[in-house]
Amino acid sequence: GLNDSSDGTALMGTLRVADKTEKLARAPFCISAGSLVFCETSGGSTEQIRCQTSAPRTSWFLDSIVVLLTHWRYIQPPKLLRGDSAKAWSYIEILSAPVLLPANIELPHIERPLSWWLKHQVYPELELEQELFAAIKELPPIGGAQALSILAQHPRKRQKAERPDNTSVVVTSIFDGNTQLQSILGRVRAIGALSSEIDNDGPGFLVDMAVDPAQPDDDTPVSITILLCGQQFLGLFAAVCVDDSLLLTDLQPSVSLDGSSDNLAAFATTATSRAFRIDEFDGLEESQICVSAASQTPFTQQSQRSLLSQITHQGSAACTGALALDTQIQSPTRTSPANDCHLAVHDGKLESYTGEVTRVVDTMLGVYVIDDSHLLMLTFWPLLSPVFVLRPGSHVLLDNMHVLLLSDSDSYCWKWLKLAFPKPNSSQPGGDRRVLIFGACTRSSIRIIDFPSSSNSAEFAAAIDGSLVVAILRQVCGLVEMIEVVEAFWVLRKKFPYGPLGTERQTRESEKSILQVALQMALALSGYRETSGTCLARQDSLIKFTNHRSLCQVSQMSSRDPCRVVTLREVMRRYFIWRKQNTDRGSGDLTHKPGDAPLTNIYSSQLQLEGISLIGRLAVNERGCVYLRDETA
């Protein structure tokens, strides 16, 4: 019965953060841990629905607060969905800050104007601001250099611990009970995904903070990792953004056991810890709490050319439009072993971008077009689920994203780019098209900063058969690998529509088995090994957050040469170009005519097809000659 607030209807209830994956309908229609949910209690029963908001605050999620949504919009599910799936897909967009009311408010028996509700509004930030100054006075924050010194005072213990399950992480104090608790003030550099269980202390997440060293001879911020555990920090998880200033109190030095030989020494919250998001206190002056600006600045299309140049040319100067978040990683841009001109990786550097979602490519894989120019791939983002949709027209802020570059050429054009950009771009015609791909990992953050003006239903799109998405993601371990495998799958699926051995008239294979065979061939062609169990890309997000440089495989390249599959017609086209350039004799035919120059050995490099594979059926004629037949030629 939901419509929207345009008719003056308001919603009253509470906002909560899902602390674990919740099943709303049949799989895979589940909401991930960290998703926002609006709850309304009426007549003893509770109704709930997912929601999205552009600028949440921690005070919205306090137990003592009830929210009154005066400006909201109900987003209907796509028409093709029915039943529980449609219910799971629908959600509301919170278009403006809600009115905050005390949880024990006595509701009127008759309708009241908005002025009546505003009169009863509460302002928890005023009380939190007083608590903030009291916390600083009681336990002043330490500098980054002192924090590192505290963590390094004792060696990390090698402790054996049984992990309760694949998602839990054991956290143990590395000091005795006499250790003084510490407060840390810094700026957020990265936010980890929400883990449902951490050492039986409830849900938790990691933040990487840039902390001033507090040394006169050094002004370089120090990176400090902090683990926040407990239900009381769920509101902070929903509200905190990269570049926010945070004050965390009563922290203890701890060690996170990840099952490897190297444990992570970090600070962790205690039962008395408090978290203050400084950016929510509008009345604070810079002189009262000062945190140096140590993070990156998001860039837009106006500064994309420098990043394109940096990725294309190895070892070039640093990008002027965006700064590398992890300053300790200074690896050059790399490509595949064969100097693949079609795919390059901005290796070791995470960037930010702000732009508009202009098209949905694949909902299951989380692929979107940004600003009609670039691709956003959330495939390996821990918060991705089939019900998480970015509607076209939404403006998003992308933080800590891996950056790849796909380039078309005369020898090969990506199926990915044809699918994402069906209409040719006049500024990048034909083989000159270059597209940035922003790929998310466990350190990435996606924030909606503005909603579309329309209330159109969220789009459901599938670039690949839905039944194969899970099979693909079980066997690939990174974004580059996924791009290569799906690319090869599309080509093979077109080459062998009835299976490698089948024909249109006679085939014994079902549609599903044909797709499975094409997938296995794509995996083999792309040079990636099959894996058993859970891929490294699916391991615990906390572990990957803290060991990003060594464990994150989102932008890892294959050890083999890339596999690009083309048709025989393309080979012949390249051959005639080569012959015209070298003999000044061209032909528009695909056959070799009598009187032409004798055929000689021509190598793929001469045709600019190095690294390109030919796939087809071998046939033998009546004379015993072997031919390569390509049905898609």
Side-chain angles (χ1 to χ4, degrees):
L2 287 177
N3 188 6
D4 55 42
S5 61
S6 59
D7 59 355
T9 304
L11 296 177
M12 176 179 287
T14 58
L15 289 172
R16 68 177 180 89
V17 180
D19 58 2
K20 60 183 178 181
T21 301
E22 299 181 7
K23 183 178 179 180
L24 297 182
R26 71 180 189 276
F29 292 94
C30 302
I31 60 174
S32 302
S35 302
L36 304 187
V37 180
F38 176 77
C39 305
E40 181 184 45
T41 302
S42 177
S45 61
T46 300
E47 296 290 337
Q48 59 181 8
I49 187 172
R50 292 187 305 114
C51 60
Q52 292 182 353
T53 182
S54 59
R57 294 199 169 203
T58 56
S59 57
W60 299 3
F61 304 91
L62 296 176
D63 294 335
S64 59
I65 292 298
V66 173
V67 298
L68 181 69
L69 305 182
T70 57
H71 295 86
W72 54 276
R73 179 190 294 142
Y74 174 66
I75 305 301
Q76 298 181 359
K79 295 181 179 179
L80 58 89
L81 295 181
R82 296 290 187 272
D84 291 341
S85 301
K87 182 179 179 181
W89 194 287
S90 59
Y91 64 95
I92 61 174
E93 293 175 345
I94 302 176
L95 305 179
S96 65
V99 178
L100 303 185
L101 303 170
N104 58 356
I105 186 174
E106 294 185 6
L107 299 181
H109 298 289
I110 59 176
E111 294 184 3
R112 295 289 185 178
L114 179 60
S115 58
W116 186 91
W117 297 100
L118 293 176
K119 182 179 179 180
H120 293 80
Q121 184 173 201
V122 294
Y123 301 92
E125 287 87 357
L126 299 178
E127 182 178 350
L128 291 175
E129 183 175 328
Q130 296 177 357
E131 296 177 3
L132 167 66
F133 287 113
I136 294 177
K137 184 177 181 180
E138 179 180 354
L139 187 62
I142 60 176
Q146 184 179 353
L148 290 179
S149 177
I150 292 175
L151 293 177
Q153 283 181 16
H154 296 275
R156 303 177 187 179
K157 295 181 180 179
R158 298 289 185 259
Q159 303 187 31
K160 295 182 179 180
E162 295 293 333
R163 298 183 63 182
D165 51 53
N166 291 331
T167 61
S168 62
V169 173
V170 180
V171 180
T172 307
S173 175
I174 60 177
F175 291 89
D176 55 35
N178 297 324
T179 302
Q180 182 181 2
L181 300 179
Q182 306 293 342
S183 293
I184 292 181
L185 173 66
R187 196 173 293 274
V188 176
R189 302 170 72 232
I191 309 159
L194 189 67
S195 182
S196 59
E197 189 68 24
I198 299 181
D199 195 20
N200 299 320
D201 287 335
F205 62 99
L206 287 166
V207 293
D208 182 9
M209 296 180 60
V211 182
D212 291 337
Q215 290 184 341
D217 57 342
D218 187 7
D219 57 356
T220 303
V222 175
S223 177
I224 300 294
T225 301
I226 302 175
L227 179 61
L228 295 91
C229 303
Q231 294 281 342
Q232 67 272 28
F233 298 112
L234 290 179
L236 177 67
F237 177 81
V240 69
C241 302
V242 172
D243 205 28
D244 279 353
S245 300
L246 287 184
L247 173 67
L248 302 172
T249 67
D250 291 353
L251 302 175
Q252 67 173 354
S254 300
V255 57
S256 174
L257 301 181
D258 58 12
S260 65
S261 58
D262 296 325
N263 296 324
L264 168 73
F267 286 93
T269 55
T270 62
T272 58
S273 294
R274 297 291 305 276
F276 299 92
R277 184 171 174 242
I278 308 301
D279 304 74
E280 294 185 353
F281 303 111
D282 301 328
L284 289 181
E285 299 178 359
E286 293 185 1
S287 59
Q288 292 176 292
I289 296 182
C290 181
V291 183
S292 64
S295 64
Q296 62 200 55
T297 300
F299 66 97
T300 57
Q301 279 194 283
Q302 284 70 26
S303 54
Q304 66 181 344
R305 293 182 180 178
S306 54
L307 183 59
L308 283 167
S309 176
Q310 184 179 3
I311 300 177
T312 305
H313 303 93
Q314 298 186 27
S316 63
C319 176
T320 58
L323 303 176
L325 179 64
D326 194 342
T327 56
Q328 300 177 9
I329 306 177
Q330 297 295 339
S331 303
T333 298
R334 60 184 165 91
T335 57
S336 63
N339 266 337
D340 182 15
C341 63
H342 303 102
L343 176 62
V345 175
H346 197 38
D347 189 26
K349 296 180 180 180
L350 303 179
E351 306 284 356
S352 286
Y353 188 88
T354 179
E356 179 184 352
V357 177
T358 51
R359 189 163 180 258
V360 182
V361 179
D362 192 295
T363 309
M364 298 290 289
L365 293 174
V367 181
Y368 299 87
V369 176
I370 304 294
D371 289 334
D372 283 325
S373 301
H374 312 305
L375 284 176
L376 168 64
M377 292 190 174
L378 308 179
T379 311
F380 294 93
W381 187 46
L383 293 182
L384 176 67
S385 73
V387 297
F388 177 86
V389 181
L390 298 173
R391 292 199 299 133
S394 301
H395 288 78
V396 293
L397 172 60
L398 313 173
D399 279 310
N400 299 338
M401 308 295 290
H402 292 262
V403 183
L404 286 68
L405 176 65
L406 291 188
S407 301
D408 283 344
S409 70
D410 290 337
S411 61
Y412 191 82
C413 293
W414 287 91
K415 307 298 180 185
W416 274 106
L417 302 188
K418 289 182 180 179
L419 179 69
F421 305 97
K423 297 181 180 179
N425 190 340
S426 57
S427 62
Q428 295 182 348
D432 296 329
R433 180 159 52 186
R434 298 186 301 170
V435 173
L436 290 176
I437 292 182
F438 297 96
C441 70
T442 186
R443 291 179 70 92
S444 303
S445 300
I446 294 91
R447 175 75 67 181
I448 299 176
I449 57 179
D450 193 14
F451 291 110
S453 57
S454 68
S455 58
N456 295 334
S457 299
E459 293 188 14
F460 180 89
I464 191 170
D465 186 272
S467 62
L468 291 181
V469 171
V470 176
I472 290 175
L473 295 183
R474 282 177 178 172
Q475 300 186 70
V476 300
C477 294
L479 190 60
V480 176
E481 186 174 346
M482 187 272 290
I483 292 173
E484 294 277 17
V485 169
V486 174
E487 180 81 6
F489 169 82
W490 281 332
V491 175
L492 294 171
R493 183 69 184 91
K494 183 178 180 180
K495 278 183 174 291
F496 305 108
Y498 309 103
L501 302 178
T503 63
E504 184 176 2
R505 295 182 178 180
Q506 182 180 6
T507 177
R508 298 179 180 178
E509 296 178 284
S510 66
E511 180 71 14
K512 184 176 181 180
S513 61
I514 292 174
L515 295 176
Q516 291 288 352
V517 171
L519 174 59
Q520 295 304 318
M521 293 176 63
L523 287 165
L525 281 174
S526 301
Y528 296 99
R529 72 272 178 262
E530 292 189 30
T531 58
S532 58
T534 303
C535 289
L536 189 60
R538 300 298 180 197
Q539 284 184 350
D540 191 291
S541 58
L542 294 178
I543 300 172
K544 296 193 64 183
F545 183 92
T546 56
N547 297 277
H548 180 263
R549 280 175 284 178
S550 59
L551 293 183
C552 186
Q553 296 184 345
V554 168
S555 58
Q556 179 174 328
M557 306 289 288
S558 170
S559 58
R560 276 182 44 177
D561 292 344
C563 179
R564 308 278 182 258
V565 182
V566 297
T567 63
L568 286 178
R569 181 176 295 276
E570 177 63 25
V571 176
M572 297 303 296
R573 188 182 73 85
R574 298 298 306 171
Y575 164 71
F576 287 123
I577 293 176
W578 174 85
R579 190 175 69 172
K580 183 177 182 180
Q581 292 175 345
N582 288 271
T583 65
D584 199 27
R585 296 175 57 190
S587 174
D589 243 2
L590 295 182
T591 58
H592 180 69
K593 299 179 179 179
D596 286 346
L599 294 177
T600 58
N601 291 331
I602 301 175
Y603 298 95
S604 59
S605 57
Q606 295 174 276
L607 302 181
Q608 299 181 9
L609 293 174
E610 190 172 8
I612 302 297
S613 298
L614 292 177
I615 298 177
R617 291 187 176 92
L618 290 178
V620 181
N621 66 3
E622 296 177 353
R623 296 183 178 183
C625 298
V626 180
Y627 292 88
L628 179 67
R629 298 181 58 185
D630 187 345
E631 295 184 0
T632 61

